[in-house]
Amino acid sequence: MSDKKNIFERFGESQVWKSIFRSGVPRTRRQRMMSVLNSVFLHLHPVRLPRHAVKLKFTWCMGGLTFFLFLVLTISGILLMFYYRPTAEYAYTDIIDLREQVPLGIMREIHRWGAHAMVITTWLHMFRVFMTGSYKPPREFNWSIGVLLLVLTLLLSFTGYLLPWDQLAMWAITVGGNMARATPFVGHEGPGAALLSIGDINFINMGADAKFALLGGRFVGEAALLRFYVLHCIGLPFVVMILMAVHFWRVRKDGGISGPT
Amino acid sequence: MERQERHYNILSLNKLFAISSIFFLILLIWTFAYDYDRSWKDYQRKFRLMDSDLTTELRTAEQGRVEESTDYKAASAELAKAMEMLESRAEDLKVLEEQQKKIESKYYKVQQESAFAKSLYDVAKYEYEAAVSHYDGPAEKQKREMDELGADVYQKMMVVQEVETELALKKSEIAEMTLAVDKAEKSVNSLERQIELYSRKLKTIDPGSMTIGNRMANAVRDLPVIDFMNPYLKINQIIIPDITDDMNIVQMPKVDRCTTCHLGIDKPGFEDAPQPYSSHPNLDLFLASSSAHPMEDYGCTSCHAGRGRGTDFVTAAHTPSSHEQEKEWVKKYNWYEMHYWETPMYPTQSVEAGCLKCHASQPFIEGADDLNVGLALFEKASCNGCHLVERYEGKFPQRLAPNLSHLASKTTREWAYRWIEAPRNFRQNTWMPHFFDAADWDKEEDRSRTDQEIHAIVDYLFDKSAPFELSAMPRLGNSERGEYLFNNLGCKGCHKLELEPENTPYTLASLRQEHGPNLTGLGSKTTQEWLFNWVKDPKKYHPETRMPNLRLSDVEAADLSSYLYSFSNDQFMASSIPNVNEEMQSDITFEFLIKANSHRVASETLASMSLADMLDYNGEKLLQHYGCTGCHLIPGFEDAKRIGVALDGEGSKPLNKLDFGYTSIPHTKIDWFINKVKNPRVFDLNKITGTYDGLRMPNYGFTDEEVEKIVTVILALNTNDGREKPVSASRSFIEEGQWIIKDHNCMGCHLIEDRGGDILVNYSAPEYAPPNLNTEGEKVQPHWLLSFFENPITIRPNILVRMPSFHLGEEKWNSLIKYFQYYDNQTTPYEGDFSPRENSIAFRAGEKIHEMGACNNCHYYGVTQPLQEPQTWAPNLALAKERLRPDWVDAWMNDPQSIMPGTKMPRPYIPSEDELSMADASEIYGTDLLKLAGDEETMIRGLTDYIYAIPGKIDISLEIKAFFDENGYRFLEGEEESEDWDEDWDEDWDEEEWEE
Amino acid sequence: MRYVTKSADFLLLFLSLSGALFAGGIKGTVKYEGKVPRMKAIRMAADPICDGKHTQGPARAEWLLAGPEGVLQNVFVYVEKGLEGKEFKTPETSAVIDQRGCIYVPHVSGVQVGQKIDILNSDGTLHNVHAMPKVKKNVAFNEAMPGARKKITKQFDEKEVMVRIKCDVHPWMGAFVGVLDHPFFAVTDKAGNFEIKGLPAGTYTVTAWHERLPAKSATVTVKGEGEATADFVLKRPPKKKN
């Protein structure tokens, strides 16, 4: 018994520990406080919480779950990236190989199910926030950030959907592209596109409109696949992470989770 | 100054910030501008102006032409008239049109009613069907309703149809009125169509012809940043997925962006424009979508090489055609070579190098004459003898040079020594290269060694020469008669007798005339006896020779050999030959021995060898070293391997694989090849190499033009990707035949596929020369042709030139016969015999035509001689039944000139209908011809029938020979046709004298 | 634009018409300078019918027929340059070349593009008429004319100076026909004289062609109705190097 205490204590006061964790092993209140404040990951949370903040009946923990799922998706996604090649030649068969041949290929299932789950939790979280009136001042701005995050989540889903490169994927994105081309003004089949022409030259045309920008071409092909891959893996997660940081920070600043207005 | 709260002075910071902001702003603008300003945009702008100018010109010309044409004047007059007429009835037309409108609205109404009725019926029908099928109960009510409604539907449908008919009627009434105008308008429009097309084109490209809106758009659409949307100036590219560029680890489909700057390349009308706007030459063969090489399927780089993805003069890997042009380009375009691009564009003089990889199976390629000359030079110089090229395997012999197995019976050691030392001293246009005396830097000290090398080789060849029995000549032979034979018998189809060097550049025709060697100087080389034996039967001495057997009689052979023997080359034979030097011989032996043995063993072996042994050993080793066996058949070396590097893929060799040595030759592939072909051992300059480790390729003495053509061939032998069209069976038969024809130089005497016939210049008229083989496949019966090839008979009685016996073997003969047949699309191998019906009207009519035509004036009938002089004689008609195909004879009779241009055979006299309807026609022409009046085809068929029935000896070669042996060929020195005016003029003028 | 071309047309028409009204001519003599070679007799023994037609003595070669003082017969004189852009009607009448005594008569003649040439056979023996034009649009022909066939009609569609006609049955027979797109040509007679009538005023290049002597050209100006003179002297070609 005294040995154990000695080892842990000794280790907890060693320079190695202190260099990594700065404060000692949390024994005192102060140490517990500092260990949260000093950690870049943990200081996301406040040091102390009111009891009602963790009431599940109030928050459903949806926001947290969404974030957790985001982390799961990021890690499983990175693992998938080792074997997936975003070319028309390889995409489909790589996914099949991931499922059937690659060890821990269950990452593909986790990623897919996780994506579905994340969308659901996002919606539920939004629903919860609405129901609990947590959008009221001073939290209006945070609600807007949340909406943006919702849109980005849906876009992440949309871009990820193309990557298996099967019929479902291709046609789904085709439909999406067709919707884009019907956008007013910036879609070449939308109302008002003809207004953006001078003489006989249409500036918004099949080769230069929202659909073209989305797909990198006039139809869903290799260019679309590559584009969506980049957006899905880097572009959108990057923006999402920035907005998430803002979103969580605002939660803290606006009075903490489930805090009073 | 009060102390500020900031560390740095804010004012100076502000200044710095301002300056750097402005600087970065300028940088930003400059970045956009630099990126925007591409060189290809300038070319596109210029081309737009050129295109507008050309289109305007064409439109004006077309307008002028159309307005002048009578059709147009008539059509516009029609139109004016029709319009006038319509104007006058304008009121009626209006009434009709209103009526039509009323009917149309009525139609709309009844259609709607009918549709409604139908839908009600459908409901009732459903109810009924549901009642019957689902409820099993009686369904009378539903049925009644359904029937009622059904009747209603039927009624309404009838109404609709009525109104329809009414409407159609009214429409046709109106159309009738406007018919004339519509027709006239259509014809006027169709005549003006081309003008309309030009105008439309101008509206899109010429700012001057555009509407205001388009002019504005034109200005805006190419502005920076906005030009992503719908620019006029854009990169053009052709993507060819199935022809690829080799990127070492992957094959990338070609993407050719050449047309971004080369905008006129596929448009006619820009032939005289400067590059890059000019049209491609020969658009019917290249680029047009209906041509054999459509641009969309082949792009540009599959023929021209280069870097298709480049959009800039330099990055497209253009190659200058000379060093002068390179300097020009450096100045004008800042050109530099794309160092890591392994397939730079072929320079203009070698552009046909791109043809070979797709057309590799063909012996010569239509339309690529530069390449054909290069290939012919390549084959003549027997490059394939040392350097394997897959193309020739099985199609073209490797060894083209004489067989050295019986050398001692042919020539002397003295001659052979001098020949091997410097062949061109004896025969300036020989294809045997110089192995010794090859370059300026051959060192003097090497001279003494190379002299001994030649001694060793000569010694070996003569020692190993198998005995060959020469049969004796019956007599010495008449040299003058020999000259006559040489000029007329057909020797000139393959040989020249060029005593002084003529130094004219090679063409395909001149290369055909050098198929065999230049026969100068033979008196110094060999004996008359050997020449006699050779011309009598070449294959006896050299079984693989390509020289055919001229079936000479002993007397002829003696005369011919006497003539050829009369030329000697004393200057050549006067040069001195150094003595055999035993010390040097042993040095040489030692060099070879130490290649395979240690020094000790080598010295021991050397000590035990006598001079004769050393000469033998050295000769053997040197023959292998210099690769003589690549071109000559040498006893003991029949299976020896080629000593040169295989040349397939040579054109694709990366530059770093070519050894430039210590020379200052410019560092490009083409320069390396040029220098290699011109001076093969130049890359050993200043190098220290072992005695027998240096470069061995001999010097051919090519001129610069020849080098250029051969380099084109080397560039053509590459591993680039192409698109070989699968060769159809008929195409492969034709190609097989073409290889045989090339190998045996048939085109040296005969015109085949409109090429060749070079021997014709030696004859006063084509009828005295070897015939044009146009339509040979259609013309002759194949089994006759085979028998002719195996045993040529005299067909044309009055020609001196003789078809030789080639002894190719049945397989090759069959290939050749198939070639002729497939070339003329005569692919049925079996045909029945043709037996004419001798009792028909046609036959008798043919007989009459034959009589009137006096065919026996010129033609032989069996052994019956023709009535006219020998210079007009024509083939034996009794031969026709065995030799010719009747369909061809019909065509021949119909129009001889179209089959053999320049023939003296006239079209037989076929009386016209008018002539046959004259009063005395039946007396002159006979009743049978009258019966066939107007039917020329049957008349000609009757004539053919008659000819096939002509009896008589078929092979009259002996009779003809007998005649000409006695009477000679005086007419060939024809006075009427001669151009020797001097002779005529120099005769004495004597008024009183008449000559009988 | 249209008005201008129309008026230009009218002007051209006027000029050409007026040219016909105010027409002049060119005449002259062609002489040969040098020693006149003897024309060899032609051996016609091969065809007895031909032989039988020359009872008064054998026919002679015709390639250089020179009279006293070297006046040269059978020289084809024609306007080579100066008539560009003008169009001339093809005459309705045919030119005639006869085969008489196994000799072509006339030896040298001229026709216009599209004009019919009647080739007659007055000999009653087999001849064949083998024309050898070199210009692409002129079709070469080789037609048999046995005794029974008295006449064939041919034409040439493109300008060519000169088309050679020969007979393959009788190798000594030869004729030359000059095909031009205008009617301004003539053949010198026995006295070496020629006359080209009806030329509108202007400056022309006139060429004298002979079947063996090198042709000579001269620039001639025709004024109004006057007659311009152009004389030619043809010489033997330089000796050929053997």
Side-chain angles (χ1 to χ4, degrees), chain B residues 329-608:
Chain B
W329 281 7
V330 168
K331 229 173 37 181
K332 220 161 122 182
Y333 306 105
N334 288 329
W335 183 83
Y336 55 88
E337 201 186 352
M338 291 286 285
H339 204 72
Y340 293 108
W341 187 252
E342 289 178 355
T343 53
M345 211 175 287
Y346 300 124
T348 349
Q349 68 268 22
S350 294
V351 70
E352 290 174 8
C355 306
L356 194 62
K357 63 178 176 291
C358 293
H359 290 270
S361 60
Q362 297 172 254
F364 46 81
I365 301 164
E366 280 296 321
D369 267 339
D370 278 346
L371 184 65
N372 287 332
V373 174
L375 287 168
L377 286 168
F378 192 88
E379 287 147 16
K380 271 275 170 335
S382 209
C383 303
N384 186 39
C386 292
H387 296 278
L388 176 65
V389 176
E390 285 292 339
R391 205 172 114 80
Y392 295 112
E393 290 298 279
K395 298 215 172 78
F396 206 73
Q398 178 194 348
R399 297 199 168 106
L400 295 181
N403 183 335
L404 299 179
S405 319
H406 311 284
L407 196 56
S409 63
K410 178 174 176 185
T411 185
T412 59
R413 290 175 190 244
E414 287 76 33
W415 184 89
Y417 181 95
R418 292 183 175 95
W419 167 261
I420 295 175
E421 186 182 7
R424 287 197 287 278
N425 282 353
F426 177 74
R427 185 185 285 157
Q428 66 279 0
N429 47 5
T430 180
W431 292 98
M432 163 124 171
H434 283 210
F435 287 85
F436 309 98
D437 173 32
D440 301 329
W441 58 83
D442 277 351
K443 308 178 196 63
E444 271 311 308
E445 53 263 32
D446 283 344
R447 256 283 153 65
S448 49
R449 191 192 73 243
T450 54
D451 285 341
Q452 297 307 315
E453 287 181 6
I454 301 172
H455 269 299
I457 293 172
V458 171
D459 205 70
Y460 180 87
L461 289 172
F462 276 79
D463 282 346
K464 294 284 188 289
S465 165
F468 182 78
E469 203 187 302
L470 293 171
S471 32
M473 295 189 293
R475 51 191 232 178
L476 221 51
N478 179 338
S479 182
E480 263 180 43
R481 178 105 191 115
E483 185 178 357
Y484 179 73
L485 287 171
F486 182 79
N487 288 334
N488 288 298
L489 214 52
C491 309
K492 288 199 159 178
C494 296
H495 289 284
K496 275 186 174 162
L497 184 52
E498 195 179 288
L499 302 170
E500 292 299 322
E502 271 172 28
N503 293 327
T504 44
Y506 281 116
T507 59
L508 287 171
S510 69
L511 283 167
R512 284 194 284 263
Q513 286 182 297
E514 288 194 29
H515 199 69
N518 177 359
L519 297 174
T520 174
L522 291 175
S524 303
K525 173 173 172 179
T526 181
T527 59
Q528 193 186 342
E529 220 171 33
W530 186 89
L531 285 170
F532 173 82
N533 277 271
W534 172 259
V535 295
K536 272 242 18 124
D537 188 1
K539 282 207 155 53
K540 192 155 154 242
Y541 179 83
H542 179 10
E544 286 88 24
T545 185
R546 295 188 292 176
M547 163 128 172
N549 191 329
L550 270 291
R551 298 185 303 281
L552 296 169
S553 65
D554 282 348
V555 171
E556 284 174 335
D559 292 338
L560 195 54
S561 54
S562 158
Y563 173 65
L564 294 171
Y565 187 68
S566 65
F567 297 99
S568 58
N569 193 332
D570 298 319
Q571 202 189 33
F572 176 75
M573 293 306 279
S575 62
S576 64
I577 299 182
N579 293 324
V580 175
N581 181 329
E582 190 166 342
E583 208 188 305
M584 192 51 90
Q585 291 291 339
S586 67
D587 281 345
I588 295 173
T589 313
F590 189 70
E591 289 285 346
F592 279 114
L593 282 171
I594 58 174
K595 275 184 189 260
N597 304 300
S598 68
H599 272 239
R600 198 152 71 87
V601 173
S603 312
E604 282 170 11
T605 322
L606 187 57
S608 67

Side-chain angles (χ1 to χ4, degrees), chain B residues 67 852-853 857 868-869 871-872 897 903-907 909 979 981-982 984-985 987 989 993-995, chain C residues 2 32 35-38 40-41 46 60 126 130 142 144 146 149 168-169 171 212 236-237 239-240:
Chain B
E67 279 165 16
M852 290 190 300
N857 270 9
Q868 300 273 12
E869 295 271 297
Q871 64 239 49
T872 64
Q897 289 293 327
T903 181
K904 64 185 195 290
M905 164 86 178
R907 190 174 187 273
Y909 175 44
E979 301 225 320
W981 304 349
D982 295 338
D984 290 337
W985 249 296
E987 287 186 20
W989 163 255
E993 217 178 67
W994 292 93
E995 202 194 50
Chain C
R2 257 192 218 186
Y32 166 67
K35 192 165 102 174
V36 179
R38 173 173 56 160
K40 288 207 195 88
R60 297 214 164 236
L126 171 70
H130 185 171
N142 185 349
R149 195 175 198 183
D168 289 307
V169 185
R212 289 229 192 163
R236 172 182 167 173
K239 241 190 167 97
K240 279 209 286 199

Side-chain angles (χ1 to χ4, degrees), chain B residues 760 763-772 796 799 901-903:
Chain B
L760 259 73
Y763 297 91
S764 54
E767 59 226 40
Y768 301 124
N772 181 345
R796 293 165 179 80
I799 60 175
T903 181

